[in-house]
Amino acid sequence: MAPKGLTGSPLAITGTFLDEISHDIPSANWGATDWAKDFAAMRQDGIDTVILIRAGYRDRATFSSKVLAKLHPNLIVDEDLVALFLNLAEQEGMTFFLGTYDSGDYWLQGNYQAEIDLNLAFADEVWGRYGSSPAFGGWYISHEINTFNPGMMQVYEQLSQHLRHLKPLPILISPYIRGCKQFAQAISLEEHEREWDQVFARLQGKVDYVAFQDGQVNFAELPDYLAVNAALARRYGITCWSNIESFDRDVHIKFPPIAWPKLRFKLEAAQAAGVDKLITFEYSHFLSPNSIYPAAQNLNRCYRNWLHNLSVKGSKDVKNDP
């Protein structure tokens, strides 16, 4: 049974990325039993949506892909994580979004068509292998941008068209803000708004959900950016989520679980901005009771207790309402 307050609250995180193909956080080296335990914890904490952040990155993959093996003959892969995650998502009643492939090369060098062509073939392979799973409920285009990029518009447009041709499932992107915590030359709120007005004008009808990462700007600025993001998305008919980063960008170590007061601030700011869903990057490392980080286990306890207390307070307020 889920603890009180962990489901139904607008402040609850109800989605998480699954990050097993990463370049900046360590692997937990979990097997099937460990993942099953964590999916059960996710469900207990009210998570109904899981998003594989990328099915492959450079020479690493989540399954033995014939398409990727042509590019990387020594593809680094062990078990079929896509099949494992789909089965666990189905078992726990979750919707699974599958992330595309990131070459870590072509699109960053401006060779956008090579990135597109590789992903089209990869998407065909993925759909042929896993498309029949009842948990397969969406696509995640894993390439992240922070401002308008004409070449990346081509990637999004051609890839989204092809994904919808395979099956018209929802498509999610998770861009980021060109903020001062990540860039020496950050852009202003006004510049951010102009850039993303251009992006959304191109992506209208091609992307269903946008979940901006929330960790690149100072906390004092964050509410304004969240409000602009939500308003822009609504203008172009795109549903706005918020990617609540549960890791901390403010310390010199890459990356520990975030301090609880900071996470609470971001949850409340996202709710105030009127976003439709809160997801996180990412539960298993930074917010799970099963995490390899003891601080994440403590963060989970703080989060659960807070939502429980909100639920209790809300129940009392309802009873006292004349």
Side-chain angles (χ1 to χ4, degrees):
M1 179 181 296
K4 283 186 178 181
L6 296 189
T7 57
S9 169
L11 287 164
I13 294 170
T14 56
T16 183
F17 283 97
L18 302 171
D19 188 55
E20 248 328 272
I21 300 294
S22 179
H23 57 87
D24 51 14
I25 61 174
S27 173
N29 291 311
W30 282 353
T33 301
D34 304 295
W35 278 112
K37 184 179 179 182
D38 211 50
F39 268 69
M42 292 177 200
R43 169 48 72 187
Q44 187 178 28
D45 279 348
I47 287 175
D48 58 24
T49 306
V50 289
I51 306 137
L52 181 61
I53 195 164
R54 52 185 71 87
Y57 176 69
R58 295 185 182 272
D59 61 352
R60 288 171 285 162
T62 50
F63 68 95
S64 296
S65 166
K66 295 180 180 178
V67 170
L68 299 185
K70 294 177 182 177
L71 180 65
H72 297 289
N74 297 315
L75 194 65
I76 300 173
V77 61
D78 187 15
E79 60 184 314
D80 189 333
L81 289 175
V82 176
L84 174 64
F85 291 157
L86 280 167
N87 289 336
L88 291 173
E90 181 180 357
Q91 178 180 310
E92 298 294 343
M94 299 173 178
T95 300
F96 177 86
F97 281 66
L98 189 135
T100 54
Y101 175 70
D102 182 349
S103 73
D105 180 22
Y106 293 139
W107 67 288
L108 298 173
Q109 303 302 322
N111 192 352
Y112 300 108
Q113 195 58 51
E115 191 78 22
I116 293 166
D117 293 341
L118 183 56
N119 264 284
L120 297 185
F122 185 67
D124 288 341
E125 181 181 25
V126 164
W127 187 249
R129 289 178 64 121
Y130 308 109
S132 62
S133 169
F136 198 144
W139 298 97
Y140 171 63
I141 299 180
S142 63
H143 306 76
E144 301 171 3
I145 61 172
N146 57 64
T147 49
F148 180 79
N149 180 319
M152 281 307 299
M153 294 303 98
Q154 297 174 38
V155 174
Y156 286 146
E157 289 166 344
Q158 292 189 42
L159 189 50
S160 64
Q161 180 181 21
H162 188 74
L163 297 177
R164 290 201 197 281
H165 175 74
L166 293 174
K167 189 173 183 180
L169 297 174
I171 295 174
L172 165 69
I173 61 172
S174 186
Y176 59 104
I177 302 163
R178 191 176 179 85
C180 62
K181 291 188 180 182
Q182 195 167 346
F183 294 93
Q185 292 183 324
I187 62 174
S188 68
L189 178 64
E190 292 74 20
E191 291 172 309
H192 173 81
E193 185 172 12
R194 287 195 297 270
E195 292 286 332
W196 281 92
D197 188 69
Q198 293 183 75
V199 174
F200 286 153
R202 287 281 294 266
L203 297 186
Q204 186 175 25
K206 301 176 178 67
V207 166
D208 301 280
Y209 305 129
V210 59
F212 277 92
Q213 302 165 32
D214 72 350
Q216 292 86 1
V217 298
N218 289 325
F219 286 97
E221 302 174 286
L222 181 60
D224 291 335
Y225 278 92
L226 292 172
V228 163
N229 294 341
L232 280 174
R234 282 193 294 268
R235 183 184 304 169
Y236 290 99
I238 298 172
T239 300
C240 189
W241 297 356
S242 189
N243 181 359
I244 310 286
E245 292 183 348
S246 43
F247 65 92
D248 204 328
R249 290 183 184 269
D250 297 337
V251 296
H252 296 298
I253 303 170
K254 289 188 174 184
F255 291 102
I258 198 168
W260 162 242
K262 295 178 181 178
L263 182 63
R264 175 179 173 175
F265 178 92
K266 297 199 294 182
L267 292 168
E268 292 174 340
Q271 184 199 31
V275 303
D276 295 284
K277 186 179 180 72
L278 305 182
I279 64 174
T280 188
F281 183 88
E282 52 76 69
Y283 182 90
S284 296
H285 278 86
F286 305 115
L287 189 56
S288 171
N290 306 306
S291 172
I292 58 176
Y293 297 114
Q297 300 166 27
N298 297 337
L299 183 60
N300 181 272
R301 185 179 65 251
C302 293
Y303 172 69
R304 288 186 175 196
N305 288 342
W306 178 65
L307 284 179
H308 173 70
N309 291 337
L310 285 178
S311 177
V312 170
K313 182 180 182 297
S315 297
K316 289 180 179 178
D317 289 344
V318 170
K319 289 179 182 179
N320 295 332
D321 191 15

